[in-house]
Amino acid sequence: MPWKPMSIDEYADYESGNGATLVKIDDVWWRAVRPFFYRPLFPFQRLAPGTVKPPAPSRLLGYQHPVPEGEPSNSFLNAVVFDDIHGYSLDTLKKDKRYNIKKALKHLSVKRIDDYREFVEGGYSVYLAFFDRTRYKWKSDRIHRQAYVKWATNVFRFPQIVTHGVYRDGTLSAVNISYRVEDVIFDAAFFSTTEALRMGSSELAWHVIREQAAAVRDAR
């Protein structure tokens, strides 16, 4: 089983190492998603209205959190969630998606990256290719090798975090990062070279994650 559960405290330690602004009040870790606006770090943590003690800076712009079923609410978040993870298999997909994954398997392979050096030496060039294509702004300082190495060090500080590599002819061409917090598996990050993306690296990585997650019986 690839995912060993992280506690919410361990998850907070990981995200803090990535530079997140966090504060713990009672049993709730809050993350500043933008200045003076907070949400619970664990996005499925339901909090009853009237019992919440948000961080003091949220008095300026506010906060948002899930509520128990049946409680009044005033907003919502859209999320990509697979809540029938145990029923997944290649055969459950539509014909075109099955075709794309099978086509990708002719050129690409996926395996776990257990070597920190491989994540740094092979992954850094993949990240640069990803940034050159997307100009993705979030944590864009990682285009600098020192910042990328700092991130890699934090990732490998936690054995619960799973990194998968997508390979073409033995060369690392895409990276996927996932982890489990309590009973929820998060597919957290993905970056790929343009060539591998055209060959289906994203579809293949997502297929492998979902296929392996289907075997984790105590995850939801």
Side-chain angles (χ1 to χ4, degrees), residues 76-101:
F76 63 90
L77 288 176
N78 289 318
V80 178
V81 177
F82 298 104
D83 53 7
D84 181 25
I85 63 171
H86 305 119
Y88 176 81
S89 71
L90 189 61
D91 293 337
T92 63
L93 299 178
K94 293 182 179 180
K95 183 178 179 181
D96 59 335
K97 292 187 178 295
R98 291 200 307 270
Y99 172 80
N100 290 338
I101 292 170

Side-chain angles (χ1 to χ4, degrees), residues 36-214:
F36 309 113
F37 187 83
Y38 287 77
R39 293 191 186 113
L41 173 64
F42 186 61
F44 302 102
Q45 188 169 8
R46 297 179 183 271
L47 306 173
T51 66
V52 178
K53 297 178 182 179
S58 69
R59 294 171 184 169
L60 293 175
L61 289 183
Y63 60 93
Q64 186 181 37
H65 62 83
V67 298
E69 293 291 342
E71 293 283 355
S73 62
N74 59 9
S75 61
F76 63 90
L77 288 176
N78 289 318
V80 178
V81 177
F82 298 104
D83 53 7
D84 181 25
I85 63 171
H86 305 119
Y88 176 81
S89 71
L90 189 61
D91 293 337
T92 63
L93 299 178
K94 293 182 179 180
K95 183 178 179 181
D96 59 335
K97 292 187 178 295
R98 291 200 307 270
Y99 172 80
N100 290 338
I101 292 170
K102 290 178 179 178
K103 184 178 178 181
L105 282 167
K106 293 179 180 179
H107 307 283
L108 305 171
S109 61
V110 180
K111 71 178 181 70
R112 184 167 176 175
I113 302 174
D114 291 316
D115 188 344
Y116 164 80
R117 293 169 298 179
E118 182 180 13
F119 185 89
V120 171
E121 300 304 326
Y124 180 59
S125 61
V126 175
Y127 192 86
L128 291 181
F130 155 78
F131 181 82
D132 187 57
R133 181 181 67 255
T134 64
R135 298 294 167 180
Y136 189 56
K137 297 298 183 182
W138 191 78
K139 298 294 183 181
S140 59
D141 62 319
R142 291 171 184 167
I143 63 172
H144 304 295
R145 185 177 176 86
Q146 185 175 2
Y148 181 89
V149 169
K150 181 180 179 181
W151 174 46
T153 301
N154 192 51
V155 169
F156 276 78
R157 192 162 61 93
F158 296 86
Q160 304 97 319
I161 294 177
V162 177
T163 57
H164 284 90
V166 182
Y167 297 82
R168 181 179 181 231
D169 298 328
T171 299
L172 184 61
S173 300
V175 174
N176 195 95
I177 298 175
S178 59
Y179 44 77
R180 176 179 170 184
V181 181
E182 296 199 335
D183 60 353
V184 178
I185 298 170
F186 292 84
D187 194 23
F190 175 82
F191 49 100
S192 173
T193 65
T194 300
E195 185 178 27
L197 195 64
R198 289 171 179 162
M199 292 180 176
S201 59
S202 61
E203 292 93 334
L204 182 57
W206 212 351
H207 164 65
V208 169
I209 294 295
R210 295 185 67 189
E211 193 172 55
Q212 293 182 356

